[in-house]
Amino acid sequence: MRRAGAGRRITPGVLIAVALGLGAAVLVALQAGRGGVLQAGDDGAAVAGRVATGPARASENLVDRIGAMWSAAARVQQLERENRELQTWRELAERLAERNRRYEALLRMPVNSFGEGADIERSIAAQLVLDSGGPFTRTLVANAGAEHGVRVGFVALNENGLVGRVVSVGRRTSRVLMLDDYTSRIPVLGESSRVRAVLAGQATRPPELISQPYQVQAPRLDFIVGAQDLREGERIITSGDGGLFPRGIPVGVAQGGRDGQWRVSLSAAQRPIDFVRLVPFVGLEAPEQTLTADAGPPPGVSSSVAVVRREVMTAPPTAPTPAPRPRIVLAPRTDGAAQPPAPPAQIQPEPAPSGPPQ
Amino acid sequence: MSWRAPSGGVLRAFGLALAVASVVLPALPLGPLFAQPPLPLAVLWAAYGWAAEDEISWTAPVVLAALGLLHDQLAGGPYGLFVALYLSAYLAGRVAAVLMSAPNLISLWGGFIATALATVGVAWLLAPLGLGRNAPLTPYAETVTVTAILFPLVRPLYMQGQSRQQIRART
């Protein structure tokens, strides 16, 4: 039988519980407003957690690695395939870079390399896609044709100089007659000596052309006027005579042969001709072609000039003038305001030059 | 491992490919490799060899005419010039095959030289008609010369054996 009050004993468990409870309460009271302890606990917990879960993660990576080993062969094949594709793209990029470099070189052509009067704004850059395939003719085919605005007569040149002239045009291609074709005849002049000549394509290949890096041959100079003044190494440019080519396009360098024949080492032969600019050129019409029959001073304008006479300037003694040209002579008039319109022009044939061209 | 000589069909295919290449490659802007004339004109080898090998075949002249048209197109015309040159080589080859009773390398070579010279004569006649009287003949003559010099090296591609006519003549 228990005595009264003898059963009210505090067990150790209760004491521990109370102590812990109080300690918790104190702890809560102490860390109120400060998270450092909690953060420190988290850090510690994280370290513990990493240590605890490390083997699990390690085994997970191991599984992945083992799985990757199984698919290594397929991965290698994929990488090889990607490598081949990248190589293809690299080659394409290099080709495009080279093409871009060539286009830039073409676009950087100085204005004076086009000659005087060339319509640079409407020039067309084209790539040469076919070379001359036969032993008889010397032509090139460019990948620009009528659809691109190319017309027969366009001047073909590159950054080195004159290449030739467009002689036929298709829808998307055009054929360029090169300067060394046996039918090519270009009026040229020496840049410093002003000696005029005709650059004639070669029908035969001179031996010295074997040293030429490319197929372009050295045309000869015919009908040289003042050959004694032509200098070795002198730059040859187009003279513009005849109206087919602008004046001042670089053609090449004069070279005297052992046989006394002057040839031109073409500037275009300095490197392979791959890109060209096709430049339209509309030559200025001769004054006698544009002169109308009733030309004269405007009405109401008085002039003290009794006789208005225009005639074609005769060619200088050094220039060849093969064909006679008509001479236009206007009738005399005394007062432009009071007089009726001038009578039709009288066209008289001009006599041929006395000396034949050389 | 023994080496087996390629069959006649394979050699013939190589010969045709070489003939086509000799027409097409100089027309492509491939740089200095094919840009420095004179290159041999393999179609002349083909015309000569096919004329001796297949007298009764109609495909050889048709193929030669097609190659001639292709060459004319690539060279910028006039159409028909190379057709005439190649077909004249074929005809000259036929004549040479008939004349040769006992063909060997020397006589075959001589026959080809005669055939090549015949094409030069045809070019001398026709080129001024199509290209003007100042048409250059020297580059073609140089090309034909190189072609004739190299003929012994490529003869197996175009002439595997004796012609049927010669075989018939012997039997």
Side-chain angles (χ1 to χ4, degrees):
Chain A
M1 168 178 234
R2 289 183 182 181
R3 288 182 297 181
R8 298 189 175 185
R9 254 181 24 186
I10 301 174
T11 60
V14 173
L15 289 176
I16 293 173
V18 171
L20 291 177
L22 289 175
V26 172
L27 188 61
V28 169
L30 289 177
Q31 67 179 342
R34 294 186 297 178
V37 177
L38 182 62
Q39 188 63 46
D42 287 344
D43 292 343
V47 172
R50 258 199 314 271
V51 171
T53 58
R57 284 201 305 271
S59 63
E60 188 179 46
N61 291 338
L62 182 63
V63 170
D64 290 344
R65 282 199 296 271
I66 293 174
M69 287 173 63
W70 285 105
S71 60
R75 177 68 176 159
V76 168
Q77 289 180 354
Q78 180 186 357
L79 289 175
E80 287 178 345
R81 187 170 58 250
E82 290 179 359
N83 193 26
R84 282 195 298 270
E85 293 176 357
L86 287 175
Q87 294 235 356
T88 305
W89 281 104
R90 178 181 174 177
E91 291 173 1
L92 176 64
E94 288 176 347
R95 283 204 306 270
L96 291 176
E98 172 66 16
R99 181 178 296 184
N100 191 35
R101 191 184 62 79
R102 298 287 297 117
Y103 277 133
E104 286 180 348
L106 276 174
L107 293 174
R108 277 201 300 268
M109 290 170 64
V111 176
N112 57 5
S113 66
F114 291 95
E116 300 171 5
D119 192 353
I120 304 173
E121 297 298 324
R122 290 197 302 135
S123 67
I124 298 161
Q127 184 179 10
L128 295 175
V129 292
L130 280 180
D131 202 342
S132 180
F136 297 106
T137 57
R138 307 283 304 124
T139 57
L140 299 168
V141 177
N143 64 349
E147 288 185 353
H148 306 89
V150 180
R151 300 288 181 269
V152 172
F154 274 31
V155 180
L157 45 87
N158 63 7
E159 70 272 21
N160 295 323
L162 186 64
V163 174
R165 183 168 174 267
V166 175
V167 292
S168 65
V169 177
R171 282 180 58 199
R172 295 176 182 172
T173 58
S174 54
R175 193 172 282 273
V176 176
L177 184 73
M178 297 178 69
L179 296 181
D180 58 342
D181 187 89
Y182 75 100
T183 60
S184 175
R185 299 289 185 272
I186 308 292
V188 295
L189 64 90
E191 191 172 35
S192 56
S193 66
R194 318 309 286 179
V195 169
R196 291 173 185 262
V198 173
L199 185 74
Q202 287 286 70
T204 58
R205 186 180 307 104
E208 62 269 21
L209 288 179
I210 295 174
S211 61
Q212 291 287 327
Y214 299 103
Q215 205 174 357
V216 179
Q217 302 174 11
R220 67 176 186 272
L221 290 172
D222 287 343
F223 304 109
I224 302 176
V225 181
Q228 67 278 7
D229 295 327
L230 200 60
R231 300 164 189 167
E232 180 78 20
E234 181 179 1
R235 214 163 79 111
I236 302 296
I237 60 175
T238 54
S239 67
D241 295 335
L244 291 181
F245 288 88
R247 179 192 179 100
I249 300 177
V251 174
V253 176
Q255 291 179 338
R258 295 173 184 172
D259 54 352
Q261 178 70 58
W262 284 93
R263 302 184 193 279
V264 174
S265 177
L266 294 176
S267 302
Q270 293 176 3
R271 54 170 299 151
I273 304 171
D274 47 3
F275 289 91
V276 293
R277 284 185 82 165
L278 305 176
V279 184
F281 173 64
V282 180
L284 296 175
E285 292 185 1
E288 65 270 22
Q289 301 296 329
T290 57
L291 191 65
T292 56
D294 56 351
V301 175
S302 61
S303 173
S304 60
V305 179
V307 176
V308 179
R309 183 181 182 204
R310 291 188 181 185
E311 63 179 11
V312 179
M313 290 182 63
T314 56
T318 58
T321 307
R325 298 179 181 175
R327 186 176 58 185
I328 299 176
V329 179
L330 296 182
R333 55 183 308 193
T334 54
D335 190 353
Q339 293 297 325
Q346 302 170 5
I347 300 179
Q348 302 174 355
E350 187 181 11
S354 57
Q358 300 179 14
Chain B
M1 189 173 176
S2 63
W3 180 81
R4 293 181 57 188
S7 65
V10 173
L11 290 175
R12 196 181 177 89
F14 275 121
L16 176 62
L18 185 60
V20 175
S22 74
V23 172
V24 175
L25 286 182
L28 300 180
L30 297 177
L33 180 61
F34 296 103
Q36 198 65 257
L39 291 171
L41 205 51
V43 188
L44 295 181
W45 296 329
Y48 180 70
W50 295 346
E53 293 273 314
D54 297 327
E55 293 90 348
I56 58 174
S57 175
W58 58 270
T59 55
V62 172
V63 171
L64 291 174
L67 286 175
L69 278 178
L70 176 64
H71 206 157
D72 285 329
Q73 172 62 47
L74 293 176
Y79 288 116
L81 178 58
F82 280 101
V83 177
L85 292 177
Y86 296 158
L87 290 179
S88 66
Y90 180 79
L91 295 175
R94 291 283 299 273
V95 173
V98 170
L99 292 179
M100 278 184 281
S101 58
N104 53 42
L105 178 59
I106 300 300
S107 61
L108 288 175
W109 198 356
F112 182 77
I113 291 172
T115 301
L117 289 177
T119 65
V120 174
V122 173
W124 180 73
L125 288 174
L126 293 184
L129 294 178
L131 298 166
R133 61 186 173 91
N134 291 326
L137 203 61
T138 307
Y140 180 73
E142 292 175 352
T143 301
V144 165
T145 303
V146 172
T147 308
I149 291 172
L150 296 178
F151 173 74
L153 301 177
V154 298
R155 187 192 61 84
L157 294 180
Y158 301 100
M159 306 180 80
Q160 286 86 41
Q162 296 173 344
S163 66
R164 298 171 190 170
Q165 190 168 353
Q166 289 155 356
I167 293 172
R168 282 198 302 270
R170 286 190 170 187
T171 57

Short mmCIF file of all heavy atoms in Angstrom, two decimals, chain A residues 316-350:
data_model
loop_
_atom_site.label_atom_id
_atom_site.label_comp_id
_atom_site.label_asym_id
_atom_site.label_seq_id
_atom_site.Cartn_x
_atom_site.Cartn_y
_atom_site.Cartn_z
N PRO A 316 45.67 63.80 -137.36
CA PRO A 316 47.06 64.26 -137.28
C PRO A 316 47.94 63.43 -138.18
O PRO A 316 47.61 62.29 -138.53
CB PRO A 316 47.41 64.03 -135.80
CG PRO A 316 46.41 63.06 -135.29
CD PRO A 316 45.18 63.31 -136.10
N PRO A 317 49.02 63.99 -138.57
CA PRO A 317 49.87 63.28 -139.54
C PRO A 317 50.32 61.92 -139.04
O PRO A 317 50.64 61.06 -139.83
CB PRO A 317 51.07 64.23 -139.71
CG PRO A 317 50.68 65.51 -139.08
CD PRO A 317 49.55 65.29 -138.19
N THR A 318 50.34 61.76 -137.72
CA THR A 318 50.85 60.49 -137.19
C THR A 318 49.77 59.45 -137.02
O THR A 318 50.05 58.32 -136.68
CB THR A 318 51.50 60.73 -135.83
OG1 THR A 318 50.53 61.31 -134.96
CG2 THR A 318 52.69 61.63 -135.94
N ALA A 319 48.50 59.83 -137.22
CA ALA A 319 47.44 58.87 -136.96
C ALA A 319 46.91 58.30 -138.25
O ALA A 319 46.72 59.01 -139.23
CB ALA A 319 46.30 59.55 -136.22
N PRO A 320 46.67 57.02 -138.29
CA PRO A 320 46.12 56.41 -139.51
C PRO A 320 44.65 56.75 -139.64
O PRO A 320 43.89 56.70 -138.68
CB PRO A 320 46.32 54.92 -139.28
CG PRO A 320 46.35 54.76 -137.80
CD PRO A 320 46.95 56.02 -137.26
N THR A 321 44.23 57.13 -140.82
CA THR A 321 42.83 57.42 -141.08
C THR A 321 42.46 56.66 -142.34
O THR A 321 42.63 57.15 -143.44
CB THR A 321 42.60 58.92 -141.28
OG1 THR A 321 43.16 59.59 -140.16
CG2 THR A 321 41.12 59.24 -141.38
N PRO A 322 41.98 55.47 -142.17
CA PRO A 322 41.82 54.62 -143.35
C PRO A 322 40.69 55.03 -144.28
O PRO A 322 40.79 54.90 -145.47
CB PRO A 322 41.54 53.24 -142.73
CG PRO A 322 40.97 53.55 -141.38
CD PRO A 322 41.62 54.81 -140.93
N ALA A 323 39.58 55.48 -143.72
CA ALA A 323 38.42 55.73 -144.57
C ALA A 323 38.12 57.21 -144.64
O ALA A 323 38.27 57.93 -143.65
CB ALA A 323 37.20 55.00 -144.01
N PRO A 324 37.70 57.69 -145.78
CA PRO A 324 37.35 59.11 -145.88
C PRO A 324 36.05 59.39 -145.14
O PRO A 324 35.17 58.54 -145.06
CB PRO A 324 37.20 59.34 -147.38
CG PRO A 324 36.88 57.99 -147.93
CD PRO A 324 37.60 57.01 -147.06
N ARG A 325 35.94 60.55 -144.58
CA ARG A 325 34.76 60.94 -143.82
C ARG A 325 34.08 62.11 -144.52
O ARG A 325 34.74 62.92 -145.16
CB ARG A 325 35.15 61.34 -142.40
CG ARG A 325 35.77 60.20 -141.61
CD ARG A 325 36.13 60.70 -140.25
NE ARG A 325 36.74 59.65 -139.47
CZ ARG A 325 37.25 59.82 -138.26
NH1 ARG A 325 37.19 61.02 -137.70
NH2 ARG A 325 37.78 58.82 -137.62
N PRO A 326 32.78 62.22 -144.36
CA PRO A 326 32.10 63.35 -144.99
C PRO A 326 32.41 64.64 -144.27
O PRO A 326 32.62 64.67 -143.06
CB PRO A 326 30.63 62.97 -144.84
CG PRO A 326 30.61 62.04 -143.67
CD PRO A 326 31.87 61.30 -143.71
N ARG A 327 32.48 65.68 -145.01
CA ARG A 327 32.73 67.00 -144.44
C ARG A 327 31.46 67.82 -144.57
O ARG A 327 30.83 67.86 -145.62
CB ARG A 327 33.90 67.68 -145.17
CG ARG A 327 34.30 68.99 -144.55
CD ARG A 327 35.50 69.53 -145.27
NE ARG A 327 35.25 69.73 -146.69
CZ ARG A 327 36.21 70.12 -147.52
NH1 ARG A 327 37.44 70.33 -147.08
NH2 ARG A 327 35.94 70.29 -148.80
N ILE A 328 31.09 68.46 -143.50
CA ILE A 328 29.85 69.23 -143.49
C ILE A 328 30.18 70.70 -143.51
O ILE A 328 30.96 71.19 -142.68
CB ILE A 328 29.01 68.89 -142.25
CG1 ILE A 328 28.66 67.38 -142.29
CG2 ILE A 328 27.76 69.73 -142.20
CD1 ILE A 328 27.93 66.93 -141.08
N VAL A 329 29.62 71.38 -144.43
CA VAL A 329 29.86 72.82 -144.56
C VAL A 329 28.51 73.53 -144.52
O VAL A 329 27.61 73.19 -145.30
CB VAL A 329 30.60 73.15 -145.87
CG1 VAL A 329 30.82 74.64 -145.97
CG2 VAL A 329 31.92 72.40 -145.93
N LEU A 330 28.37 74.45 -143.62
CA LEU A 330 27.12 75.20 -143.52
C LEU A 330 27.20 76.44 -144.37
O LEU A 330 28.26 77.05 -144.53
CB LEU A 330 26.85 75.58 -142.07
CG LEU A 330 26.62 74.38 -141.13
CD1 LEU A 330 26.33 74.89 -139.73
CD2 LEU A 330 25.48 73.54 -141.64
N ALA A 331 26.06 76.80 -144.87
CA ALA A 331 26.01 77.97 -145.73
C ALA A 331 26.23 79.24 -144.92
O ALA A 331 25.92 79.28 -143.73
CB ALA A 331 24.66 78.03 -146.45
N PRO A 332 26.74 80.28 -145.54
CA PRO A 332 26.99 81.52 -144.79
C PRO A 332 25.68 82.22 -144.44
O PRO A 332 24.66 82.07 -145.08
CB PRO A 332 27.82 82.35 -145.77
CG PRO A 332 27.45 81.82 -147.12
CD PRO A 332 27.19 80.37 -146.93
N ARG A 333 25.72 82.98 -143.38
CA ARG A 333 24.57 83.77 -142.96
C ARG A 333 25.10 85.04 -142.30
O ARG A 333 26.19 85.05 -141.73
CB ARG A 333 23.68 82.99 -142.03
CG ARG A 333 24.41 82.47 -140.84
CD ARG A 333 23.52 81.64 -139.98
NE ARG A 333 22.31 82.34 -139.65
CZ ARG A 333 21.48 81.91 -138.70
NH1 ARG A 333 21.75 80.81 -138.05
NH2 ARG A 333 20.40 82.57 -138.42
N THR A 334 24.33 86.05 -142.34
CA THR A 334 24.80 87.34 -141.83
C THR A 334 24.14 87.73 -140.53
O THR A 334 24.76 88.25 -139.64
CB THR A 334 24.54 88.45 -142.87
OG1 THR A 334 23.16 88.42 -143.19
CG2 THR A 334 25.35 88.16 -144.12
N ASP A 335 22.88 87.48 -140.40
CA ASP A 335 22.19 87.89 -139.19
C ASP A 335 21.24 86.77 -138.77
O ASP A 335 20.30 86.47 -139.49
CB ASP A 335 21.41 89.18 -139.42
CG ASP A 335 20.90 89.73 -138.12
OD1 ASP A 335 21.05 89.02 -137.08
OD2 ASP A 335 20.38 90.83 -138.13
N GLY A 336 21.49 86.25 -137.64
CA GLY A 336 20.70 85.11 -137.21
C GLY A 336 19.28 85.45 -136.93
O GLY A 336 18.38 84.63 -137.07
N ALA A 337 18.97 86.67 -136.51
CA ALA A 337 17.60 87.00 -136.13
C ALA A 337 16.73 87.26 -137.34
O ALA A 337 15.55 86.91 -137.36
CB ALA A 337 17.60 88.22 -135.22
N ALA A 338 17.27 87.88 -138.32
CA ALA A 338 16.45 88.29 -139.44
C ALA A 338 16.42 87.28 -140.57
O ALA A 338 15.54 87.34 -141.41
CB ALA A 338 16.97 89.64 -139.97
N GLN A 339 17.36 86.46 -140.59
CA GLN A 339 17.48 85.56 -141.72
C GLN A 339 16.57 84.34 -141.57
O GLN A 339 16.28 83.89 -140.47
CB GLN A 339 18.93 85.08 -141.84
CG GLN A 339 19.90 86.20 -142.21
CD GLN A 339 19.59 86.76 -143.57
OE1 GLN A 339 19.18 86.04 -144.48
NE2 GLN A 339 19.74 88.07 -143.72
N PRO A 340 16.13 83.81 -142.67
CA PRO A 340 15.39 82.56 -142.62
C PRO A 340 16.31 81.42 -142.20
O PRO A 340 17.53 81.59 -142.16
CB PRO A 340 14.89 82.38 -144.06
CG PRO A 340 15.83 83.16 -144.88
CD PRO A 340 16.26 84.30 -144.04
N PRO A 341 15.69 80.30 -141.93
CA PRO A 341 16.53 79.17 -141.52
C PRO A 341 17.59 78.86 -142.55
O PRO A 341 17.41 79.06 -143.75
CB PRO A 341 15.53 78.01 -141.40
CG PRO A 341 14.23 78.67 -141.16
CD PRO A 341 14.28 79.97 -141.90
N ALA A 342 18.67 78.36 -142.04
CA ALA A 342 19.80 78.07 -142.91
C ALA A 342 19.46 76.95 -143.87
O ALA A 342 18.67 76.07 -143.55
CB ALA A 342 21.01 77.67 -142.07
N PRO A 343 20.00 77.01 -145.06
CA PRO A 343 19.77 75.94 -146.02
C PRO A 343 20.41 74.65 -145.56
O PRO A 343 21.26 74.65 -144.68
CB PRO A 343 20.43 76.47 -147.30
CG PRO A 343 21.46 77.43 -146.82
CD PRO A 343 20.90 78.03 -145.59
N PRO A 344 19.97 73.55 -146.16
CA PRO A 344 20.54 72.26 -145.77
C PRO A 344 22.05 72.25 -145.92
O PRO A 344 22.62 72.92 -146.76
CB PRO A 344 19.87 71.26 -146.72
CG PRO A 344 18.66 71.95 -147.21
CD PRO A 344 18.97 73.40 -147.20
N ALA A 345 22.63 71.46 -145.08
CA ALA A 345 24.09 71.36 -145.11
C ALA A 345 24.54 70.65 -146.36
O ALA A 345 23.86 69.77 -146.88
CB ALA A 345 24.58 70.59 -143.89
N GLN A 346 25.65 71.05 -146.81
CA GLN A 346 26.24 70.41 -147.97
C GLN A 346 27.28 69.41 -147.46
O GLN A 346 28.20 69.78 -146.73
CB GLN A 346 26.90 71.44 -148.87
CG GLN A 346 25.91 72.50 -149.32
CD GLN A 346 26.61 73.63 -150.01
OE1 GLN A 346 27.82 73.57 -150.22
NE2 GLN A 346 25.87 74.66 -150.37
N ILE A 347 27.10 68.22 -147.84
CA ILE A 347 28.03 67.18 -147.41
C ILE A 347 28.97 66.87 -148.54
O ILE A 347 28.56 66.51 -149.63
CB ILE A 347 27.28 65.92 -146.98
CG1 ILE A 347 26.34 66.28 -145.83
CG2 ILE A 347 28.24 64.82 -146.58
CD1 ILE A 347 25.52 65.13 -145.34
N GLN A 348 30.21 67.09 -148.27
CA GLN A 348 31.21 66.83 -149.29
C GLN A 348 32.13 65.72 -148.80
O GLN A 348 32.58 65.74 -147.66
CB GLN A 348 32.04 68.09 -149.55
CG GLN A 348 31.18 69.26 -149.99
CD GLN A 348 32.01 70.52 -150.09
OE1 GLN A 348 33.18 70.50 -149.75
NE2 GLN A 348 31.39 71.59 -150.55
N PRO A 349 32.39 64.80 -149.66
CA PRO A 349 33.35 63.77 -149.25
C PRO A 349 34.73 64.35 -149.08
O PRO A 349 35.19 65.15 -149.90
CB PRO A 349 33.29 62.74 -150.37
CG PRO A 349 32.82 63.52 -151.55
CD PRO A 349 31.91 64.59 -151.03
N GLU A 350 35.32 63.96 -147.98
CA GLU A 350 36.66 64.44 -147.74
C GLU A 350 37.65 63.54 -148.47
O GLU A 350 37.52 62.32 -148.44
CB GLU A 350 36.96 64.38 -146.25
CG GLU A 350 38.28 65.03 -145.88
CD GLU A 350 38.53 64.93 -144.39
OE1 GLU A 350 37.78 64.20 -143.74
OE2 GLU A 350 39.46 65.58 -143.91
#
